[in-house]
Amino acid sequence: MSDLEDRLNRAIQRGRGTRDARGREEGEKRSSEEATKARHSQLRLTLSEHIEKALRQLADHFPGFEYSTVVNEDGWGARISRDDLNIAQGASRSLYSRLELLISPWSSAGILELVTKGTIRNRESLNRRNFRMLSEATEDGFREVIDGLVVEFAELYAAQE
């Protein structure tokens, strides 16, 4: 076998080794991404249920709030809202209040994000984004955040009633 033939065979083997390694890396990356997506979906489902329970409980304390489930391109969660009519000195004005908590959809960034929007009597009172890397996110940690936001809104709303 000539020197050229030997060099060609080694180059071909190295190339095949590189191709195989790249294929393994891509397979591991896909597997890791699928596991991260599955974790996001599991957390999204359990946290959406917790959001639903928390907002229903809050609405029970303030009659007049209407509950609705939210599932759209912005995320999954729930919202409570109400319109009040304020009549003062012969003029009437609509006063809108709401609290919306959504778990954002999966993104390649690998984070779990809770988006909060709260308005009390036409004034924005809460506008927050809480997030954790999916590898660090815990169900209990996000439940505490959700509960804290609901309690904060209740206090702000009660102060404005």
Side-chain angles (χ1 to χ4, degrees):
M1 192 183 296
S2 71
D3 183 47
L4 177 59
E5 185 70 26
D6 189 40
R7 290 174 58 199
L8 282 172
N9 285 333
R10 284 187 301 210
I12 290 169
Q13 290 302 321
R14 284 192 308 270
R16 288 180 179 156
T18 301
R19 179 193 64 207
D20 292 346
R22 197 175 333 138
R24 279 191 303 275
E25 287 174 12
E26 288 175 6
E28 289 171 3
K29 183 179 176 184
R30 272 194 304 273
S31 175
S32 174
E33 187 174 311
E34 288 171 10
T36 305
K37 281 182 182 179
R39 175 146 171 76
H40 182 275
S41 291
Q42 182 264 331
L43 285 169
R44 174 182 48 89
L45 287 171
T46 57
L47 293 173
S48 294
E49 289 174 5
H50 186 71
I51 288 169
E52 175 182 335
K53 289 175 187 172
L55 290 185
R56 285 186 188 275
Q57 193 172 353
L58 177 61
D60 288 344
H61 285 277
F62 298 108
F65 272 100
E66 294 181 16
Y67 171 86
S68 61
T69 300
V70 178
V71 178
N72 60 33
E73 67 278 351
D74 295 329
W76 294 263
R79 165 190 316 123
I80 58 170
S81 62
R82 69 184 285 162
D83 276 317
D84 293 311
L85 191 58
N86 184 15
I87 301 173
Q89 300 172 352
S92 65
R93 188 175 124 190
S94 178
L95 299 173
Y96 180 72
S97 299
R98 77 163 176 170
L99 178 60
E100 179 178 273
L101 299 168
L102 298 177
I103 301 295
S104 295
W106 157 258
S107 76
S108 60
I111 61 172
L112 182 69
E113 181 180 40
L114 172 67
V115 179
T116 306
K117 295 178 184 176
T119 303
I120 298 173
R121 297 181 161 245
N122 297 345
R123 291 187 179 213
E124 185 177 287
S125 59
L126 295 173
N127 190 353
R128 309 237 175 97
R129 293 175 110 66
N130 295 293
F131 61 91
R132 299 278 182 279
M133 296 301 296
L134 274 163
S135 59
E136 301 168 2
T138 65
E139 187 177 321
D140 289 339
F142 267 88
R143 283 178 187 256
E144 286 179 27
V145 171
I146 291 164
D147 291 350
L149 290 164
V150 169
V151 167
E152 182 179 354
F153 182 85
E155 184 175 343
L156 293 170
Y157 186 80
Q160 297 293 317
E161 254 188 326

